Amino acid sequence: MLQRLLAGSLGLCLSLGSAGAFASTIYVSNEKGNSITVIDGETLKVTATVPVGQRPRGITLSHDQKQLYICTSDDNHIEVLDLDSLKVVGTLPSGPDPELFVLAPSGNPLYVANENDNLVTVVDVHTGSVRAEVPVGVEPEGMGISPDGKVLVNTSETTSMAHFIDTQTHQIMANVLVDARPRFAEFTSDGKQVWVSAEVGGTVSVIDAAARKIVHKITFAVPGIRPEALQPVGISITKDRKLAFVALGPANRVAVIDAQTFEVLKYLLVGQRVWHLAFGPGEKVIYSTNGVSNDISVIDVAEQRVVKSVTVGALPWGVAVRD
Amino acid sequence: MKFAFYARVAALAGRPGHSVRRLARRRGAPAPLAAALAVLVAAWAAWSPEAARAAEPLAVPIVYLTVGEKEPPPLSLVEPIITDKGLAGARLGIADNNTTGRFLNQSYALTEVIAPDDKALAARVVALLAEGKRYFVADLHADQLLAVADLPGAKDALFFNIRAQDDRLRTDDCRSNVLQVMPSRAMKADALAQYLMKKRWSHWFLVDGQQPDDLAFVKAVHRAAKRFGAEIVEERPYSYKPEARRSDTGYMQIQGQMTQLTQEVDDYDVLVVSDESDIFGEYLPYRTWDPRPVVGTQGLVPTAWHRSMEQWGGTQLQNRFIASAGHVMVERDYNGWVAVRSVGEAVTRTGQADPASVHAYLVGDEFRLGAFKGEGLTYRRWNQQLRQPILLSSARMLVSVSPQDGYLHQRTPLDTLGYDEPESRCRLN
């Protein structure tokens, strides 16, 4: 306990000493490296590589931005990394093989997709207890939460559905069939739409969140890239809902999309096998994790241009940014 | 392996009941309580809006067919002897289909037929056709497969071949009611050849088993060598009778035999062994006269599936399979799963369970099955062969996946594997 207090206060001193008003920090999970790479958002220098549990994939910040929750898939739990001390300070139950999760906008609970068990597990981050388990389709993965926290959307990869779950009753309200192997679900900031990427189907379905119907399907085409390689995974949409970014996996591209007209504006060449995306502060930049080339790409949002790449650990997968 | 002739209908139960039973077990609840919970959940499911709209689920019965036979045990003592190859994969496919089906009010069931001989098999299929069964997972040899596919009344049924690798089923003996899930020998030999050429291991020494299946693979290897520019520097037949897998100090004799078999060969890069029944090929690695890798039916092996495969979400399928079957997933299990999932995917997407709709969807442009191979799998229109990447695996590690980068095709690189449309006499669709 004393040790933890000391470590905590030391970390506090350090962060007070170094943090400017707009300093941000980028955290990247390295699936094969069993580590989290910490990058200074201004200098884009790697400041630390933190060893964590086996096969870290999905990562997300706690509501107060003091902790990072990490799906350590092969350890079958979630690790809690204290961001001041950069020490793993605890674990949360998750069920076997957690891959992706989403935090309630209020900061609690955490909704975890358990690929092995066809379940969504609802975990209380304060007590570390499981509040509920919701049976869903085969291989649940993508997790999106409405801005008001009332609706959870989970995608199941082999069932190819987006399940709309009431977060009060933990009951499924609707199932929307999308294209094959849906991997990611993202609500727009106004809560009106859910975007779901289908990796094998090669599309992004835009779902009306109230009607729970697909209103548009975005398709992709890059000259010289075979269609099967265009595999959408991570999605990020700007708060003003003007632009959306979609990571296209082994096509090594991030698509920039007009989020009003759904027209693809541009394909940005990033590293190899691009997985997930996260905006930097003020949505001025967006970062992509490039699994096979062991780096992240830094994309200038206004210019729609890749400005830099930063080498991280082995097989980078998830990314989160602390303001 | 039981030789008894029986047919059994697997549980119709969807997953809600299943997971509640599992939860109850986990918490140490007695079986009657678990059953009561399952009933409660079923009652709840009946109240769901989907159920209210259409009370009767769309039933999709599927039949697994095989003829009981004693398969030779694997030569290696560390390999498990598996007696439900194929069937276990089909069962998991049914469970996965039902997990999806409960959201769509569809229900899948498996009738398992293990016939004692070919005659009984035909009689059983006739009876099942008369009952209205139309989907068959055929874990059969080529002649058995063609015999049931050609039965009167089978014309509008669909048989998914999960076992026979014979190239003739893809080039000449095509049937519009047969879909080939199992990769052909030509696909496998091509997958291996592309990798060897990429490594510039282009000089091959062939050691050919003398069983008909071995010679069929030899033919595919010759074709692949010609196609991809490899040179066969030497070819030796090898006859070996299956003997006891266990024998004290047996290695001493084998060590000498394999050295003798492989000496005085012109310079070569790899030894390609053809031993489909697994009776001597496993003896070759590390015992050759020259220090050379062994590939083919042993050593580095081309296959539709391997337990070492955990790419593209494969971990989930492997874990789910081991939990349900109690053994690792072998190639025929994967094929069984793919066959049942093909039906499920077509029914889910079309909302129809009749074989004409399902067949049209499976060979149409829309069908794309997510099957842990990094891209959607489709069926070739001309011979209804499943297009798929082929794994190249050693006994314990995935080594590569073909097609290899750089082998191009105007349709899809997957069509660089096996008999392409102009090389096949089949024009099914």
Side-chain angles (χ1 to χ4, degrees):
Chain A
M1 188 63 192
L2 183 65
Q3 232 173 355
R4 191 186 293 179
L5 274 175
L6 281 173
S9 48
L10 183 67
L12 189 67
C13 295
L14 282 175
S15 61
L16 281 175
S18 63
F22 298 102
S24 66
T25 312
I26 307 157
Y27 301 92
V28 176
S29 61
N30 302 305
E31 182 187 4
K32 199 169 168 62
N34 293 342
S35 61
I36 300 289
T37 301
V38 184
I39 303 164
D40 183 303
E42 267 181 279
T43 64
L44 294 175
K45 296 268 185 268
V46 173
T47 57
T49 302
V50 185
V52 294
Q54 295 280 313
R55 201 178 183 198
R57 289 192 282 177
I59 55 174
T60 197
L61 289 163
S62 65
H63 201 231
D64 60 9
Q65 300 210 336
K66 286 183 176 161
Q67 293 177 321
L68 185 74
Y69 303 119
I70 307 161
C71 288
T72 36
S73 304
D74 278 2
D75 280 337
N76 302 323
H77 59 217
I78 290 160
E79 293 192 349
V80 182
L81 182 73
D82 178 86
L83 294 181
D84 290 329
S85 65
L86 292 179
K87 294 264 186 283
V88 175
V89 293
T91 61
L92 293 170
S94 66
D97 198 15
E99 180 164 353
L100 261 178
F101 47 21
V102 68
L103 191 65
S106 64
N108 196 25
L110 194 60
Y111 301 97
V112 190
N114 294 123
E115 286 202 284
N116 263 359
D117 263 11
N118 302 343
L119 289 174
V120 166
T121 306
V122 185
V123 180
D124 189 304
V125 294
H126 300 313
T127 64
S129 59
V130 173
R131 284 194 199 169
E133 288 179 332
V134 186
V136 291
V138 183
E139 290 157 44
E141 169 147 341
M143 301 288 277
I145 186 91
S146 63
D148 62 9
K150 287 183 178 163
V151 181
L152 174 73
V153 170
N154 159 257
T155 66
S156 48
E157 292 174 316
T158 289
T159 293
S160 298
M161 278 183 187
H163 306 287
F164 283 68
I165 300 164
D166 184 323
T167 56
Q168 295 302 305
T169 63
H170 300 132
Q171 303 292 341
I172 292 178
M173 301 182 288
N175 303 292
V176 178
L177 198 59
V178 295
D179 285 333
R181 208 168 163 78
R183 295 213 51 164
F184 197 81
E186 179 82 354
F187 270 88
T188 53
S189 64
D190 56 12
K192 287 186 176 154
Q193 292 175 346
V194 190
W195 291 39
V196 174
S197 61
E199 187 181 33
V200 165
T203 59
V204 170
S205 289
V206 179
I207 301 170
D208 182 305
R212 292 160 201 153
K213 296 264 181 280
I214 295 172
V215 292
H216 191 86
K217 241 181 222 181
I218 302 168
T219 56
F220 304 91
V222 180
I225 303 266
R226 59 195 193 98
E228 294 82 10
L230 296 160
Q231 300 183 351
V233 188
I235 304 171
S236 286
I237 308 165
T238 57
K239 283 201 177 66
D240 59 12
R241 224 179 97 184
K242 283 190 175 154
L243 288 179
F245 294 82
V246 176
L248 294 177
N252 311 334
R253 302 288 197 287
V254 169
V256 187
I257 297 162
D258 183 320
Q260 297 293 319
T261 65
F262 309 122
E263 186 195 348
V264 181
L265 305 171
K266 219 170 174 180
Y267 295 96
L268 305 173
L269 183 63
V270 291
Q272 291 177 294
R273 184 133 202 206
V274 52
W275 282 116
H276 287 287
L277 304 164
F279 283 115
E283 298 180 343
K284 289 191 172 66
V285 290
I286 185 166
Y287 307 104
S288 74
T289 53
N290 313 319
V292 174
S293 51
N294 293 349
D295 58 2
I296 65 165
S297 295
V298 183
I299 298 164
D300 185 303
V301 170
E303 292 189 31
Q304 297 176 16
R305 198 166 66 85
V306 179
V307 291
K308 196 174 167 64
S309 61
V310 182
T311 300
V312 292
L315 298 198
W317 202 93
V319 53
V321 183
R322 179 159 81 153
D323 294 347
Chain B
M1 165 80 71
K2 278 206 182 77
F3 282 70
F5 178 38
Y6 72 97
R8 188 160 75 79
V9 178
L12 270 158
R15 290 287 289 196
H18 178 80
S19 54
V20 167
R21 277 197 301 279
R22 195 168 45 72
L23 271 176
R25 259 208 319 275
R26 197 191 289 167
R27 279 157 203 168
L33 177 58
L37 272 171
V39 169
L40 275 176
V41 167
W44 166 77
W47 279 101
S48 69
E50 282 92 341
R53 271 200 301 275
E56 276 297 301
L58 182 63
V60 190
I62 300 176
V63 180
Y64 167 87
L65 289 180
T66 198
V67 174
E69 63 179 68
K70 200 168 168 64
E71 290 185 55
L75 194 57
S76 162
L77 295 173
V78 301
E79 287 298 316
I81 295 175
I82 300 170
T83 53
D84 60 354
K85 289 178 187 168
L87 175 57
R91 284 179 182 153
L92 182 66
I94 292 285
D96 283 356
N97 280 356
N98 276 325
T99 303
T100 302
R102 79 189 152 94
F103 298 116
L104 298 165
N105 203 27
Q106 299 169 352
S107 139
Y108 298 79
L110 191 68
T111 304
E112 302 174 359
V113 175
I114 301 173
D117 54 37
D118 294 2
K119 208 174 145 209
L121 175 77
R124 191 74 190 119
V125 173
V126 167
L128 288 161
L129 286 166
E131 279 172 31
K133 303 286 195 297
R134 287 296 177 269
Y135 300 113
F136 295 88
V137 177
D139 192 358
L140 302 169
H141 299 291
D143 288 338
Q144 295 169 333
L145 173 70
L146 292 176
V148 293
D150 291 342
L151 282 171
K155 210 169 213 75
D156 69 336
L158 289 177
F159 294 86
F160 293 83
N161 168 22
I162 67 162
R163 185 172 194 172
Q165 317 190 63
D166 308 55
D167 288 316
R168 68 181 169 108
L169 295 174
R170 286 81 175 171
T171 56
D172 297 278
D173 292 333
C174 299
R175 298 290 187 274
S176 72
N177 59 352
V178 177
L179 290 104
Q180 318 285 349
V181 175
M182 181 69 160
S184 63
R185 290 194 179 89
M187 287 169 74
K188 291 185 173 183
D190 289 350
L192 181 62
Q194 286 188 4
Y195 179 73
L196 298 179
M197 294 311 287
K198 181 137 186 154
K199 299 292 292 177
R200 296 173 188 255
W201 297 343
S202 58
H203 291 74
W204 303 351
F205 166 35
L206 271 53
V207 176
D208 306 343
Q210 297 298 300
Q211 311 279 332
D213 284 353
D214 303 338
L215 295 173
F217 186 68
V218 169
K219 202 177 149 206
V221 171
H222 275 273
R223 174 180 173 272
K226 199 172 162 202
R227 251 180 141 203
F228 298 104
E231 191 188 329
I232 295 170
V233 297
E234 173 118 22
E235 183 165 12
R236 291 184 184 176
Y238 191 63
S239 299
Y240 197 88
K241 284 198 186 68
E243 294 171 348
R245 358 165 33 208
R246 272 190 192 84
S247 60
D248 205 47
T249 59
Y251 79 91
M252 290 182 187
Q253 201 180 58
I254 295 156
Q255 188 176 329
Q257 284 170 344
M258 293 301 125
T259 308
Q260 222 175 0
L261 170 65
T262 54
Q263 70 183 356
E264 287 177 35
V265 181
D266 282 349
D267 195 27
Y268 67 98
D269 298 314
V270 287
L271 187 158
V272 185
V273 61
S274 299
D275 170 29
E276 289 202 352
S277 349
D278 192 19
I279 54 179
F280 72 93
E282 208 69 67
Y283 291 147
L284 280 164
Y286 309 107
R287 295 186 179 98
T288 49
W289 179 270
D290 298 300
R292 298 287 183 274
V294 174
V295 303
T297 52
Q298 283 78 22
L300 183 71
V301 171
T303 178
W305 193 253
H306 195 269
R307 64 185 182 194
S308 65
M309 157 71 194
E310 294 218 350
Q311 310 285 302
W312 303 299
T315 315
Q316 274 72 51
L317 184 62
Q318 303 278 23
N319 288 343
R320 200 156 72 241
F321 182 84
I322 290 170
S324 80
H327 59 78
V328 295
M329 188 176 221
V330 296
E331 186 178 42
R332 253 153 70 198
D333 290 321
Y334 176 75
N335 294 344
W337 183 86
V338 167
V340 172
R341 282 288 304 126
S342 292
V343 176
E345 186 69 11
V347 173
T348 298
R349 297 288 170 185
T350 61
Q352 308 292 324
D354 65 284
S357 303
V358 166
H359 188 196
Y361 187 79
L362 290 176
V363 297
D365 294 333
E366 300 292 310
F367 178 76
R368 208 175 279 187
L369 187 71
F372 311 95
K373 289 283 185 82
E375 61 185 275
L377 307 189
T378 57
Y379 288 92
R380 291 175 179 153
R381 277 174 169 273
W382 62 92
N383 61 1
Q384 298 182 159
Q385 166 70 57
L386 187 73
R387 272 189 192 98
Q388 55 176 314
I390 301 291
L391 314 180
L392 297 167
S393 186
S394 68
R396 292 163 68 104
M397 191 65 81
L398 179 74
V399 173
S400 188
V401 182
S402 284
Q404 298 295 317
D405 275 348
Y407 287 96
L408 303 176
H409 189 282
Q410 69 276 18
R411 204 180 289 111
T412 153
L414 293 177
D415 283 351
T416 62
L417 305 178
Y419 283 88
D420 199 5
E421 192 168 6
E423 302 166 300
S424 167
R425 263 73 61 198
C426 301
R427 294 290 178 273
L428 292 176
N429 297 289

Short mmCIF file of all heavy atoms in Angstrom, two decimals, chain A residues 18-59:
data_model
loop_
_atom_site.label_atom_id
_atom_site.label_comp_id
_atom_site.label_asym_id
_atom_site.label_seq_id
_atom_site.Cartn_x
_atom_site.Cartn_y
_atom_site.Cartn_z
N SER A 18 6.10 17.75 -16.18
CA SER A 18 6.31 17.70 -17.63
C SER A 18 5.10 18.17 -18.44
O SER A 18 5.23 18.60 -19.56
CB SER A 18 6.66 16.27 -18.04
OG SER A 18 5.57 15.44 -17.74
N ALA A 19 3.91 18.07 -17.82
CA ALA A 19 2.72 18.28 -18.64
C ALA A 19 2.44 19.76 -18.92
O ALA A 19 2.27 20.54 -18.00
CB ALA A 19 1.51 17.64 -17.96
N GLY A 20 2.39 20.10 -20.16
CA GLY A 20 1.93 21.43 -20.54
C GLY A 20 0.42 21.42 -20.61
O GLY A 20 -0.21 20.38 -20.43
N ALA A 21 -0.19 22.58 -20.87
CA ALA A 21 -1.65 22.67 -20.84
C ALA A 21 -2.29 21.78 -21.89
O ALA A 21 -3.37 21.23 -21.68
CB ALA A 21 -2.08 24.11 -21.04
N PHE A 22 -1.64 21.62 -23.04
CA PHE A 22 -2.26 20.85 -24.13
C PHE A 22 -1.53 19.54 -24.42
O PHE A 22 -1.75 18.92 -25.43
CB PHE A 22 -2.32 21.69 -25.40
CG PHE A 22 -3.16 22.92 -25.23
CD1 PHE A 22 -2.56 24.16 -25.04
CD2 PHE A 22 -4.54 22.84 -25.23
CE1 PHE A 22 -3.33 25.29 -24.86
CE2 PHE A 22 -5.31 23.97 -25.04
CZ PHE A 22 -4.72 25.20 -24.85
N ALA A 23 -0.65 19.17 -23.50
CA ALA A 23 0.11 17.94 -23.75
C ALA A 23 -0.84 16.76 -23.80
O ALA A 23 -1.77 16.67 -23.01
CB ALA A 23 1.14 17.73 -22.66
N SER A 24 -0.62 15.88 -24.74
CA SER A 24 -1.42 14.67 -24.79
C SER A 24 -0.48 13.48 -24.82
O SER A 24 0.71 13.62 -25.11
CB SER A 24 -2.30 14.67 -26.05
OG SER A 24 -1.50 14.61 -27.19
N THR A 25 -1.03 12.33 -24.50
CA THR A 25 -0.23 11.11 -24.50
C THR A 25 -0.97 10.04 -25.30
O THR A 25 -2.19 9.89 -25.16
CB THR A 25 0.00 10.60 -23.06
OG1 THR A 25 0.42 11.70 -22.26
CG2 THR A 25 1.05 9.52 -23.01
N ILE A 26 -0.21 9.32 -26.12
CA ILE A 26 -0.80 8.27 -26.95
C ILE A 26 -0.40 6.92 -26.35
O ILE A 26 0.78 6.71 -26.03
CB ILE A 26 -0.27 8.36 -28.40
CG1 ILE A 26 -0.46 9.78 -28.96
CG2 ILE A 26 -0.95 7.34 -29.30
CD1 ILE A 26 0.48 10.11 -30.10
N TYR A 27 -1.37 6.03 -26.21
CA TYR A 27 -1.09 4.68 -25.71
C TYR A 27 -1.43 3.68 -26.81
O TYR A 27 -2.50 3.76 -27.40
CB TYR A 27 -1.92 4.39 -24.46
CG TYR A 27 -1.64 5.38 -23.35
CD1 TYR A 27 -2.42 6.53 -23.21
CD2 TYR A 27 -0.57 5.18 -22.48
CE1 TYR A 27 -2.14 7.46 -22.22
CE2 TYR A 27 -0.28 6.11 -21.48
CZ TYR A 27 -1.08 7.25 -21.36
OH TYR A 27 -0.79 8.16 -20.38
N VAL A 28 -0.51 2.78 -27.07
CA VAL A 28 -0.71 1.78 -28.12
C VAL A 28 -0.50 0.39 -27.52
O VAL A 28 0.51 0.15 -26.84
CB VAL A 28 0.28 1.99 -29.29
CG1 VAL A 28 0.14 0.90 -30.34
CG2 VAL A 28 0.09 3.36 -29.92
N SER A 29 -1.46 -0.52 -27.75
CA SER A 29 -1.27 -1.90 -27.28
C SER A 29 -0.55 -2.69 -28.36
O SER A 29 -0.88 -2.59 -29.54
CB SER A 29 -2.62 -2.55 -26.96
OG SER A 29 -3.44 -2.61 -28.11
N ASN A 30 0.46 -3.47 -27.95
CA ASN A 30 1.23 -4.28 -28.89
C ASN A 30 0.84 -5.75 -28.69
O ASN A 30 1.27 -6.40 -27.74
CB ASN A 30 2.72 -4.08 -28.68
CG ASN A 30 3.11 -2.62 -28.84
OD1 ASN A 30 2.83 -1.99 -29.86
ND2 ASN A 30 3.72 -2.05 -27.81
N GLU A 31 0.03 -6.25 -29.60
CA GLU A 31 -0.58 -7.57 -29.44
C GLU A 31 0.46 -8.68 -29.24
O GLU A 31 0.31 -9.56 -28.41
CB GLU A 31 -1.44 -7.88 -30.69
CG GLU A 31 -2.16 -9.21 -30.61
CD GLU A 31 -2.87 -9.58 -31.92
OE1 GLU A 31 -2.73 -8.84 -32.90
OE2 GLU A 31 -3.56 -10.61 -31.93
N LYS A 32 1.53 -8.64 -30.03
CA LYS A 32 2.55 -9.68 -29.92
C LYS A 32 3.63 -9.31 -28.91
O LYS A 32 4.27 -10.17 -28.32
CB LYS A 32 3.18 -9.95 -31.29
CG LYS A 32 3.90 -11.30 -31.40
CD LYS A 32 4.24 -11.60 -32.84
CE LYS A 32 5.20 -12.77 -32.97
NZ LYS A 32 4.68 -14.03 -32.45
N GLY A 33 3.81 -8.01 -28.73
CA GLY A 33 4.88 -7.54 -27.83
C GLY A 33 4.52 -7.62 -26.37
O GLY A 33 5.37 -7.38 -25.51
N ASN A 34 3.23 -7.91 -26.06
CA ASN A 34 2.77 -7.93 -24.66
C ASN A 34 3.16 -6.66 -23.93
O ASN A 34 3.70 -6.70 -22.81
CB ASN A 34 3.31 -9.16 -23.92
CG ASN A 34 2.74 -10.44 -24.45
OD1 ASN A 34 1.70 -10.44 -25.13
ND2 ASN A 34 3.39 -11.55 -24.18
N SER A 35 2.91 -5.52 -24.55
CA SER A 35 3.31 -4.26 -23.94
C SER A 35 2.41 -3.13 -24.40
O SER A 35 1.65 -3.27 -25.36
CB SER A 35 4.77 -3.93 -24.31
OG SER A 35 4.88 -3.80 -25.72
N ILE A 36 2.50 -2.01 -23.66
CA ILE A 36 1.85 -0.77 -24.06
C ILE A 36 2.96 0.24 -24.36
O ILE A 36 3.85 0.46 -23.53
CB ILE A 36 0.95 -0.22 -22.92
CG1 ILE A 36 -0.14 -1.21 -22.54
CG2 ILE A 36 0.37 1.15 -23.30
CD1 ILE A 36 -1.24 -1.40 -23.55
N THR A 37 2.93 0.82 -25.56
CA THR A 37 3.89 1.87 -25.90
C THR A 37 3.27 3.22 -25.54
O THR A 37 2.11 3.48 -25.87
CB THR A 37 4.21 1.84 -27.41
OG1 THR A 37 4.76 0.56 -27.73
CG2 THR A 37 5.22 2.92 -27.77
N VAL A 38 4.04 4.03 -24.85
CA VAL A 38 3.58 5.36 -24.44
C VAL A 38 4.31 6.39 -25.29
O VAL A 38 5.54 6.38 -25.37
CB VAL A 38 3.87 5.60 -22.93
CG1 VAL A 38 3.29 6.95 -22.49
CG2 VAL A 38 3.31 4.46 -22.09
N ILE A 39 3.55 7.27 -25.94
CA ILE A 39 4.16 8.25 -26.87
C ILE A 39 3.71 9.65 -26.46
O ILE A 39 2.52 9.87 -26.19
CB ILE A 39 3.71 7.96 -28.32
CG1 ILE A 39 4.09 6.53 -28.73
CG2 ILE A 39 4.31 8.97 -29.29
CD1 ILE A 39 3.36 6.04 -29.97
N ASP A 40 4.65 10.57 -26.44
CA ASP A 40 4.33 11.96 -26.16
C ASP A 40 3.61 12.52 -27.40
O ASP A 40 4.14 12.48 -28.51
CB ASP A 40 5.62 12.73 -25.88
CG ASP A 40 5.34 14.19 -25.52
OD1 ASP A 40 4.71 14.91 -26.33
OD2 ASP A 40 5.74 14.60 -24.43
N GLY A 41 2.43 13.08 -27.20
CA GLY A 41 1.62 13.54 -28.32
C GLY A 41 2.20 14.75 -29.05
O GLY A 41 1.85 15.00 -30.20
N GLU A 42 3.06 15.49 -28.37
CA GLU A 42 3.64 16.67 -29.03
C GLU A 42 4.92 16.32 -29.78
O GLU A 42 5.07 16.65 -30.96
CB GLU A 42 3.95 17.72 -27.97
CG GLU A 42 2.81 18.71 -27.79
CD GLU A 42 3.15 19.75 -26.76
OE1 GLU A 42 3.00 19.43 -25.56
OE2 GLU A 42 3.58 20.85 -27.14
N THR A 43 5.84 15.66 -29.09
CA THR A 43 7.13 15.37 -29.71
C THR A 43 7.06 14.10 -30.57
O THR A 43 7.93 13.86 -31.39
CB THR A 43 8.21 15.15 -28.64
OG1 THR A 43 7.84 13.99 -27.88
CG2 THR A 43 8.32 16.35 -27.71
N LEU A 44 6.02 13.29 -30.34
CA LEU A 44 5.87 11.98 -30.99
C LEU A 44 7.06 11.07 -30.73
O LEU A 44 7.46 10.27 -31.57
CB LEU A 44 5.60 12.15 -32.50
CG LEU A 44 4.28 12.81 -32.84
CD1 LEU A 44 4.15 13.04 -34.35
CD2 LEU A 44 3.08 11.99 -32.35
N LYS A 45 7.62 11.22 -29.55
CA LYS A 45 8.71 10.32 -29.12
C LYS A 45 8.13 9.28 -28.16
O LYS A 45 7.26 9.58 -27.35
CB LYS A 45 9.80 11.10 -28.38
CG LYS A 45 10.50 12.13 -29.25
CD LYS A 45 11.74 11.54 -29.91
CE LYS A 45 12.52 12.57 -30.69
NZ LYS A 45 12.12 12.65 -32.12
N VAL A 46 8.66 8.07 -28.30
CA VAL A 46 8.25 7.02 -27.37
C VAL A 46 8.90 7.31 -26.02
O VAL A 46 10.12 7.45 -25.93
CB VAL A 46 8.68 5.63 -27.88
CG1 VAL A 46 8.40 4.56 -26.83
CG2 VAL A 46 7.96 5.30 -29.19
N THR A 47 8.07 7.44 -24.98
CA THR A 47 8.62 7.77 -23.66
C THR A 47 8.71 6.55 -22.76
O THR A 47 9.47 6.56 -21.80
CB THR A 47 7.76 8.84 -22.97
OG1 THR A 47 6.41 8.36 -22.88
CG2 THR A 47 7.78 10.15 -23.75
N ALA A 48 7.93 5.54 -23.05
CA ALA A 48 8.01 4.33 -22.22
C ALA A 48 7.39 3.15 -22.96
O ALA A 48 6.54 3.33 -23.84
CB ALA A 48 7.26 4.54 -20.90
N THR A 49 7.85 1.96 -22.63
CA THR A 49 7.22 0.73 -23.11
C THR A 49 6.94 -0.10 -21.87
O THR A 49 7.86 -0.48 -21.15
CB THR A 49 8.14 -0.02 -24.08
OG1 THR A 49 8.44 0.85 -25.16
CG2 THR A 49 7.47 -1.27 -24.61
N VAL A 50 5.66 -0.31 -21.61
CA VAL A 50 5.25 -0.91 -20.34
C VAL A 50 4.86 -2.36 -20.57
O VAL A 50 3.94 -2.64 -21.35
CB VAL A 50 4.04 -0.16 -19.75
CG1 VAL A 50 3.70 -0.71 -18.36
CG2 VAL A 50 4.30 1.33 -19.72
N PRO A 51 5.55 -3.31 -19.93
CA PRO A 51 5.14 -4.71 -20.08
C PRO A 51 3.80 -4.95 -19.38
O PRO A 51 3.59 -4.49 -18.26
CB PRO A 51 6.25 -5.50 -19.38
CG PRO A 51 6.95 -4.52 -18.51
CD PRO A 51 6.69 -3.15 -19.04
N VAL A 52 2.90 -5.62 -20.10
CA VAL A 52 1.60 -5.96 -19.50
C VAL A 52 1.34 -7.44 -19.74
O VAL A 52 2.26 -8.18 -20.09
CB VAL A 52 0.46 -5.08 -20.08
CG1 VAL A 52 0.66 -3.62 -19.70
CG2 VAL A 52 0.35 -5.22 -21.59
N GLY A 53 0.09 -7.88 -19.57
CA GLY A 53 -0.25 -9.30 -19.70
C GLY A 53 -0.19 -9.77 -21.14
O GLY A 53 0.22 -9.05 -22.05
N GLN A 54 -0.65 -11.01 -21.34
CA GLN A 54 -0.54 -11.67 -22.63
C GLN A 54 -1.55 -11.15 -23.64
O GLN A 54 -2.73 -11.10 -23.37
CB GLN A 54 -0.79 -13.17 -22.45
CG GLN A 54 0.25 -13.87 -21.60
CD GLN A 54 1.50 -14.20 -22.39
OE1 GLN A 54 1.43 -14.71 -23.50
NE2 GLN A 54 2.65 -13.87 -21.83
N ARG A 55 -1.08 -10.82 -24.82
CA ARG A 55 -1.87 -10.43 -25.98
C ARG A 55 -2.81 -9.24 -25.72
O ARG A 55 -4.04 -9.38 -25.78
CB ARG A 55 -2.68 -11.64 -26.47
CG ARG A 55 -3.08 -11.44 -27.91
CD ARG A 55 -3.84 -12.61 -28.48
NE ARG A 55 -4.10 -12.34 -29.88
CZ ARG A 55 -5.01 -12.96 -30.62
NH1 ARG A 55 -5.75 -13.91 -30.09
NH2 ARG A 55 -5.18 -12.65 -31.87
N PRO A 56 -2.23 -8.08 -25.40
CA PRO A 56 -3.09 -6.91 -25.19
C PRO A 56 -3.69 -6.44 -26.51
O PRO A 56 -2.98 -6.27 -27.50
CB PRO A 56 -2.13 -5.88 -24.62
CG PRO A 56 -0.79 -6.27 -25.12
CD PRO A 56 -0.80 -7.78 -25.24
N ARG A 57 -5.00 -6.24 -26.53
CA ARG A 57 -5.65 -5.76 -27.75
C ARG A 57 -6.46 -4.49 -27.45
O ARG A 57 -5.91 -3.41 -27.39
CB ARG A 57 -6.48 -6.88 -28.38
CG ARG A 57 -5.57 -7.94 -28.99
CD ARG A 57 -6.31 -8.92 -29.88
NE ARG A 57 -7.03 -9.92 -29.10
CZ ARG A 57 -7.81 -10.86 -29.64
NH1 ARG A 57 -7.99 -10.91 -30.94
NH2 ARG A 57 -8.41 -11.76 -28.88
N GLY A 58 -7.77 -4.59 -27.23
CA GLY A 58 -8.56 -3.38 -27.01
C GLY A 58 -8.07 -2.61 -25.79
O GLY A 58 -7.76 -3.21 -24.75
N ILE A 59 -7.96 -1.28 -25.92
CA ILE A 59 -7.61 -0.45 -24.76
C ILE A 59 -8.55 0.76 -24.72
O ILE A 59 -9.00 1.24 -25.75
CB ILE A 59 -6.13 0.04 -24.79
CG1 ILE A 59 -5.80 0.77 -26.10
CG2 ILE A 59 -5.17 -1.10 -24.56
CD1 ILE A 59 -4.40 1.39 -26.12
#
